[in-house]
Amino acid sequence: MTADLTLLWQTAACGLLRTAEDGTIQIVNETFCRWSGYAADELVGHRRVQDLFTVGARIFHQTHWAPLLRMQGSVSEVKVDVTHRDGSVFPIVVNAIRRNEGGAVVHDLAAYVARDRDRYERELMQSRRRLEELHAAAKDRALFAEQMIGIVSHDLRNPLGTVQMCAALLEELAEDAQQQGVIDRLNRATTTATQLIADLLDFTQARLGSGIAV
């Protein structure tokens, strides 16, 4: 049974470590050694776990991880970047507990490689940025369309005014009922168009809030 437990410890699907209170590694399994590129005898008693972290992760360990572990006795799902022996960097997620053993404080750590999670988070952030860009572009296009409607509606007033004046002049010169009927239809059409333009201008001003920008 002891041999089985040793094998389970050494070949577990996660990295397992025990450190002193200052982070000095006391025990480490083969899984974590394989991930980090170091042999166990290079780590045990020679390195602190935070020495394997990137600069940003070491700062996080000092300012957040260690104080939180002292205060509440455990931390869970803490994501940090570890520097491999060859200089490459890989992300891990760590769960840690603080306990007393033989009068000394030790920390037990379980670490999981988080490459897939890290990739997913990056893709999620990229998707969010793309959606924000698409939303901003759609908003700009909608605003431009509303401004164009307002501008076109405003500019249509002048030719319609000319048509109305001409209709009024023709009404004075009409000689029979047929001509008067044509002029009446012209007046009704221009009145309807003028009202439509007024409605479009009201709608545009309401949407834009403060009139049409130059």
Side-chain angles (χ1 to χ4, degrees), residues 124-144:
L124 190 63
M125 289 298 296
Q126 291 171 357
S127 297
R128 181 176 179 179
R129 283 195 295 269
R130 284 196 295 269
L131 285 174
E132 289 174 348
E133 291 169 358
L134 289 173
H135 177 72
K139 186 176 181 180
D140 289 342
R141 286 195 297 270
L143 180 61
F144 176 75

Side-chain angles (χ1 to χ4, degrees), residues 83-149:
T83 303
H84 190 276
R85 184 171 188 167
D86 63 10
S88 61
V89 174
F90 62 96
I92 61 171
V93 174
V94 181
N95 294 325
I97 60 172
R98 172 190 173 95
R99 64 186 182 83
N100 286 301
E101 183 177 272
V105 173
V106 297
H107 297 161
D108 291 331
L109 283 65
Y112 306 84
V113 172
R115 289 191 181 94
D116 291 338
R117 173 176 169 175
D118 196 52
R119 187 182 305 110
Y120 169 75
E121 289 176 351
R122 287 198 304 269
E123 290 174 353
L124 190 63
M125 289 298 296
Q126 291 171 357
S127 297
R128 181 176 179 179
R129 283 195 295 269
R130 284 196 295 269
L131 285 174
E132 289 174 348
E133 291 169 358
L134 289 173
H135 177 72
K139 186 176 181 180
D140 289 342
R141 286 195 297 270
L143 180 61
F144 176 75
E146 290 171 1
Q147 289 177 331
M148 287 301 298
I149 289 172

